[in-house]
Amino acid sequence: MSGETEVYFYHLESRSLEQVLPTLLERSLERGWRAAVQAASKERVEALNTLLWTYREDSFLPHGTASDGTPHAQPIYLTDEEDNPNEAAVRFLVDGAALEDAIGYVRVVHMFDGRDAGAVARAREAWTAVKDKGFAVSYWQQDADGRWQQKA
């Protein structure tokens, strides 16, 4: 059984992952949650690492990767694996990354590009799989202003 884990699906339409992810990570930290972001490749992890240092001139998000050492000390951990060395409460899955076991997280967030038919198909498959495992699942879509609206 899934326990208390909620699984969210965020359908990106009007804004890109690079525009949306930093804000969602900020909100996670504001809630007192440590976060893990799982990408599909080491190259993408490095791109996200750069993004979190440069997305805004007046601040950055405290984060690290395995190559930085002490991953357990990172409020936000970037990875291309299913590990959770920072004991994250929320896990963001981007670029089609998959997580075999969502138990132990407060929330798992699948983020997918609605303009990519392959990404939409993978999200549908993931939706079915987590629903079949008994997780509480919800679907969120961006409105024209980029705000999230719960659709299911």
Side-chain angles (χ1 to χ4, degrees), residues 10 55 64 70 74 77-78 81 83 85 93 98 115 134 147-148:
Y10 280 19
Y55 79 99
T70 63
Q74 303 297 339
Y77 181 67
L78 307 175
E81 299 179 12
D83 56 337
L93 301 172
R115 298 165 294 213
R147 289 186 302 258
W148 294 105

Side-chain angles (χ1 to χ4, degrees), residues 10 21 35 59 75 85 110-111 137-138 142-143 149:
Y10 280 19
L21 183 61
S59 72
H110 292 259
M111 301 184 76
V137 182
S138 60
Q142 289 176 304
D143 65 16
Q149 303 292 322

Side-chain angles (χ1 to χ4, degrees), residues 80-95:
D80 65 335
E81 299 179 12
E82 293 190 33
D83 56 337
N84 187 13
N86 72 334
E87 299 180 359
V90 61
R91 185 168 200 100
F92 293 88
L93 301 172
V94 302
D95 304 327

Side-chain angles (χ1 to χ4, degrees), residues 37-129:
V37 179
Q38 182 182 338
S41 69
K42 290 187 185 326
E43 294 78 19
R44 187 64 163 143
V45 168
E46 285 308 312
L48 293 172
N49 187 19
T50 300
L51 169 71
L52 297 185
W53 282 107
T54 61
Y55 79 99
R56 239 178 35 206
E57 284 186 31
D58 62 340
S59 72
F60 76 99
L61 284 165
H63 68 280
T65 66
S67 63
D68 295 321
T70 63
H72 61 278
Q74 303 297 339
I76 299 169
Y77 181 67
L78 307 175
T79 185
D80 65 335
E81 299 179 12
E82 293 190 33
D83 56 337
N84 187 13
N86 72 334
E87 299 180 359
V90 61
R91 185 168 200 100
F92 293 88
L93 301 172
V94 302
D95 304 327
L99 181 65
E100 186 64 34
D101 186 5
I103 294 173
Y105 293 96
V106 173
R107 184 172 297 159
V108 173
V109 180
H110 292 259
M111 301 184 76
F112 64 99
D113 184 346
R115 298 165 294 213
D116 178 338
V120 172
R122 284 187 301 275
R124 285 185 178 134
E125 289 172 10
W127 171 279
T128 300

